[in-house]
């Protein structure tokens, strides 16, 4: 045909998030700062040694707590765009951000218990409904859900070649749409029994 093709315009969709600032204040007295290498009893049976520098210890403890809080908000954060100087920005966590391809255990599943069919349906939704790239799929879950997944698949999750991430050997499950890596995430409440299937190739944190 000599005619021009029909014009097509694709609409863009955008979700918003904010960069949440984590700021902590360390409270330590001058007498405590001067008490370096102070002993108050001796650790036994592998107990933790007394800190030689209380100031460094307090800074390290606050940094560890900051990492835990940051991790919690990545998963469970509730979006809040501050409109005043007295209101803090809060990031939108993954649980709140995911609004498509949700599999509800209360709808059409036996006993409302995690099953291989739920996992299969979630993977099918990604492939068939969303046409997702599914480049680097991860199943992120609580400790209890991680154990259920191992039992569902007959304790067959295995460590495949090339699945060393951060120095850790990552277990995987083979699915119809490639390997699904398993990750225990302590910040997912066990009471919710949530299982997040994420494509890490599409997730880009902002620091």
């Amino acid at each position: 045909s000599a005619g021009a093709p029909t014009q097509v315009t694709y609409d863009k969709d955008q979700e918003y998030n904010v960069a949440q600032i984590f700021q902590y204040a360390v409270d330590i007295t001058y007498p405590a700062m001067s008490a370096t290498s102070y002993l108050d009893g001796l650790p036994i049976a592998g107990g933790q040694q007394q800190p030689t520098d209380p100031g460094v210890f307090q800074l390290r403890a606050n940094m560890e707590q900051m990492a835990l809080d940051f991790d919690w908000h990545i998963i469970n954060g509730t979006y809040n765009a501050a409109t005043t100087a007295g209101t803090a920005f809060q990031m939108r966590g993954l649980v709140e951000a995911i609004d498509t391809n949700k599999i509800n255990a209360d709808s059409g599943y036996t006993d409302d218990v995690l099953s291989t069919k739920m996992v299969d349906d979630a993977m099918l939704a990604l492939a068939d409904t969303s046409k997702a790239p599914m480049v680097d799929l991860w199943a992120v879950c609580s400790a209890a859900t991680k154990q259920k997944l191992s039992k569902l698949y007959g304790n067959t999750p295995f460590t495949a070649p090339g699945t060393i991430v951060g120095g850790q050997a990552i277990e995987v499950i083979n699915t119809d749409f490639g390997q699904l890596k398993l990750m225990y995430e302590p910040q997912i409440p066990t009471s919710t029994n949530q299982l997040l299937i994420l494509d890490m190739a599409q997730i880009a944190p902002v620091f």
Side-chain angles (χ1 to χ4, degrees), residues 104-164:
N104 190 341
D106 296 329
S107 304
Y109 297 98
T110 304
D111 300 327
D112 303 338
V113 179
L114 180 65
S115 64
T116 55
K117 177 172 172 48
M118 291 182 189
V119 178
D120 291 343
D121 287 351
M123 298 291 285
L124 183 61
L126 286 171
D128 197 33
T129 304
S130 296
K131 306 296 189 293
M134 298 197 295
V135 176
D136 187 17
L137 291 179
W138 289 70
V140 183
C141 55
S142 66
T145 302
K146 171 66 171 65
Q147 288 183 328
K148 289 178 183 177
L149 282 172
S150 294
K151 291 179 180 178
L152 282 174
Y153 288 89
N155 291 315
T156 56
F158 65 96
T159 302
T163 53
I164 305 298

Side-chain angles (χ1 to χ4, degrees), residues 105 112 114 141-142 144-145 148 188-196:
D112 303 338
L114 180 65
C141 55
S142 66
T145 302
K148 289 178 183 177
I188 295 182
T190 300
S191 58
T192 63
N193 291 321
Q194 290 170 328
L195 172 64
L196 308 180

Side-chain angles (χ1 to χ4, degrees), residues 4-169:
T6 303
Q7 300 91 339
V8 176
T9 300
Y10 294 98
D11 293 329
K12 294 179 291 185
D13 191 17
Q14 181 175 351
E15 295 291 342
Y16 294 90
N17 212 342
V18 294
Q20 181 173 343
I21 297 174
F22 291 82
Q23 183 177 11
Y24 294 74
V26 178
D27 184 13
I28 181 170
T29 64
Y30 285 114
M33 292 177 65
S34 65
T36 58
S37 301
Y38 174 76
L39 293 178
D40 184 9
L42 296 175
I44 60 175
Q48 183 178 9
Q49 296 289 336
Q50 295 287 350
T52 57
D53 189 332
V56 172
F57 170 78
Q58 291 296 331
L59 287 172
R60 183 184 298 114
N62 274 270
M63 291 296 290
E64 290 175 354
Q65 184 59 52
M66 182 184 296
L68 290 171
D69 293 343
F70 179 61
D71 190 30
W72 188 93
H73 281 276
I74 288 176
I75 301 296
N76 305 291
T78 300
Y79 175 73
N80 182 58
T83 55
T84 65
T87 305
F89 284 96
Q90 293 187 39
M91 73 174 77
R92 190 193 313 277
L94 289 169
V95 172
E96 182 180 285
I98 297 172
D99 56 9
T100 58
N101 301 324
K102 289 185 176 182
I103 303 298
N104 190 341
D106 296 329
S107 304
Y109 297 98
T110 304
D111 300 327
D112 303 338
V113 179
L114 180 65
S115 64
T116 55
K117 177 172 172 48
M118 291 182 189
V119 178
D120 291 343
D121 287 351
M123 298 291 285
L124 183 61
L126 286 171
D128 197 33
T129 304
S130 296
K131 306 296 189 293
M134 298 197 295
V135 176
D136 187 17
L137 291 179
W138 289 70
V140 183
C141 55
S142 66
T145 302
K146 171 66 171 65
Q147 288 183 328
K148 289 178 183 177
L149 282 172
S150 294
K151 291 179 180 178
L152 282 174
Y153 288 89
N155 291 315
T156 56
F158 65 96
T159 302
T163 53
I164 305 298
V165 180
Q168 298 294 319

